Amino acid sequence: MKQYGQSFLFFLFFCANFCFAQKSQDSLSHYSTIALHPKESTDLINASKYFNKRLEASKDTEDFHTQLNSLYYIASINYKIGSYDESEKAAVEAVKILNENPEINNEEAYRRSFYNLLGVVYADQHNYSKSVELYERVLEVASNPRDSAIVYNNIANVYKRNDLIEESHKASMKAFRLTPKLQDTLTVALVLNNLGYIKTKMQDYNLGRSLIFKALNLRNQAQDSTAQYSSYSNLARYYMATDSIDKAKFYANKALDFANRLNSASYKQNALGLLVELSPDHYAKAYKVLNDSLISEDKARSNKFALMRYDYSEFERKALESELMHQRQQSHTIIVSLVAVGITIISVLGFLITRARHRREKLQQLIETESRISKQVHDEVANNVFEVMTKFESETCEHSVLADELHQLYHKARDISNQHSLVDTKNSFLDNLESLFESYESNDANIVIKGLADVKWNNFSHIKKNTIYKVLQELLINMKKHSKASLVLILFENDEKKLRINYSDNGEGANLIKHTGLHSTENRIQSIGGTITFDTQPQKGFKVKIVI
């Protein structure tokens, strides 16, 4: 007995919303409605003609949505009228389209729909294991409570047909628990009607009857002829179980009336079967039992071929998916290679640009250094040489005075040379630093050094020692020229990882400006991976912290 004529018609309602002009859309909406909810005997016939014609018109194009939508309604209509082979044929053709065109929008929703429909068809052909297998596939990807409720309901029907009432009740209760989340009254009615029938089979008669009548009231409000037929046939079976023969006959005749309206051979067969069971004629009953047995054998034989066709279709699908996976892997490999090449090119370009920028910065520093040396030589040596030459030409200056001035010029030239020459760090670097500090100490400026001898200078490279020397020299030059400091303290602290040099004086301080001599000390320290921090304000002394 078929209890779920509409159970599979839930995934593709959205298909009616695809393309077409307004007039065509109106026709599609009309025939979709009567295919799902037929009210007259001609409804399914007219809907079948429309969707077959629509399918043929779309085969010359790549309008796969129209083809799939049409095939779905064709399959559902054939199921309603009992043409299971034609229903399965349409569903398998749709699955083939999906396998050959995996890029179709909503491909997963379409596949759920047709798997669900095939589950219904196989259940009617008594291939229960295959039916449950297909339903479970659909259940794994069900996207909302309504979809899940209908699939659980269909699974319950499969177990019920196999007389596994406990399993059927468990599945039906899963569907029932989802009804508070459902807004579709026909789906609620579907679940209530089926659970009511199962409760009747479990001899819970009062609850079973209550649920079946609730479902019937919802279906009468919606005027769904197919669903009404299912409710009346369940009521007939309920009253048969409770020995209310007259009421059972009344509802069996109501079911037959709706089967005639729908002109469904399978519905007529089921309704007449109920009436035969209620008949006192034992010959009629014996004939029904024999006829049911022969029909089951025919379905089992035809199902073998149907299953072979379906499994072959599945084999083709898996082979195609394997080929597609191989192509995707190849595409992925190509993309990864292109990305790797792109990253390599970008990295090389970045390196070249960075190196060119670094060279420009070094060149700029060289130009600035040369400019500073040139200016210093001009200001401190060349001007004095010119004055000495002038005095010499005038012949008014004594030779002793000229000798003193030339001696001073020599010392200035030597100081400038020492300031810009490389330090001899291969010998005693400690001695070089001590000489540096002594050269800047005077009666006006006292320099105090702490921790210098504790530093392990042999652990430092030539470049680092030369840089330290030049930076300290620049600080002392700045002190001598600008700060007017009377006391300078230089503290050295050395551990296993870092060398810290803290410089401080009590001079006038300053507002630091970039691109000065002190700014070059920052570049020097950074070039050897160290840091230098200045702390100074006008009239508040000058402090520097160096970490290397």
Side-chain angles (χ1 to χ4, degrees), residues 47 58 88 102 125 161 167 176 203 208 224 234 285 301 303 345 351 382-384 390 439 472-473 514 525:
S58 65
E88 184 208 13
Q125 293 177 317
R161 289 184 170 204
E167 287 80 356
F176 180 73
Q203 297 183 354
D224 187 332
N234 274 357
K285 291 182 178 180
R301 281 195 299 271
N303 183 62
I345 292 173
F351 171 75
N383 288 341
N384 290 130
T390 303
S439 66
L472 291 173
Q473 184 183 55
K514 285 191 175 183
I525 293 298

Side-chain angles (χ1 to χ4, degrees), residues 17 69 83 112 142 206 222 307 490 539:
N17 295 321
N69 178 254
S83 298
R112 288 199 304 265
N206 290 334
L307 185 58
I490 303 177
Q539 309 304 321

Side-chain angles (χ1 to χ4, degrees), residues 85 112 115 138 198 208 251 253 259 324 340 368 421 426 432:
D85 287 345
R112 288 199 304 265
Y115 281 163
V138 179
I198 294 170
Y251 286 110
N253 278 298
L324 288 173
E368 291 175 356
S421 65
K426 293 182 180 179
N432 287 333

Side-chain angles (χ1 to χ4, degrees), residues 19 254 290 372 449:
C19 50
K254 292 281 286 185
L290 178 61
R372 187 172 65 254
I449 309 299

Side-chain angles (χ1 to χ4, degrees), residues 192-206:
L192 295 179
N193 181 62
N194 198 41
L195 181 59
Y197 179 83
I198 294 170
K199 289 292 186 181
T200 299
K201 294 284 288 184
M202 298 176 72
Q203 297 183 354
D204 190 350
Y205 296 119
N206 290 334

Side-chain angles (χ1 to χ4, degrees), residues 170-189:
K170 290 178 182 178
S172 189
M173 285 302 298
K174 290 180 180 179
F176 180 73
R177 293 187 189 101
L178 292 171
T179 54
K181 300 179 181 179
L182 305 180
Q183 297 180 351
D184 179 10
T185 56
L186 285 177
T187 303
V188 174

Side-chain angles (χ1 to χ4, degrees), residues 468-534:
I468 292 169
Y469 184 94
K470 290 296 183 182
V471 169
L472 291 173
Q473 184 183 55
E474 194 70 47
L475 294 176
L476 292 171
I477 291 172
N478 180 72
M479 177 274 297
K480 187 174 182 180
K481 286 184 176 181
H482 306 295
S483 72
K484 299 179 182 179
S486 61
L487 178 62
V488 177
L489 173 62
I490 303 177
L491 175 63
F492 292 84
E493 295 178 347
N494 187 204
D495 56 29
E496 294 181 357
K497 296 182 179 180
K498 300 288 184 181
L499 169 63
R500 295 175 177 82
I501 304 174
N502 293 314
Y503 170 95
S504 62
D505 65 40
N506 61 350
E508 295 180 350
N511 287 318
L512 289 179
I513 302 174
K514 285 191 175 183
H515 308 298
T516 63
L518 290 177
H519 181 66
S520 67
T521 62
E522 185 175 6
N523 292 333
R524 290 179 184 271
I525 293 298
Q526 288 178 351
S527 69
I528 60 172
T531 60
I532 183 169
T533 306
F534 299 98

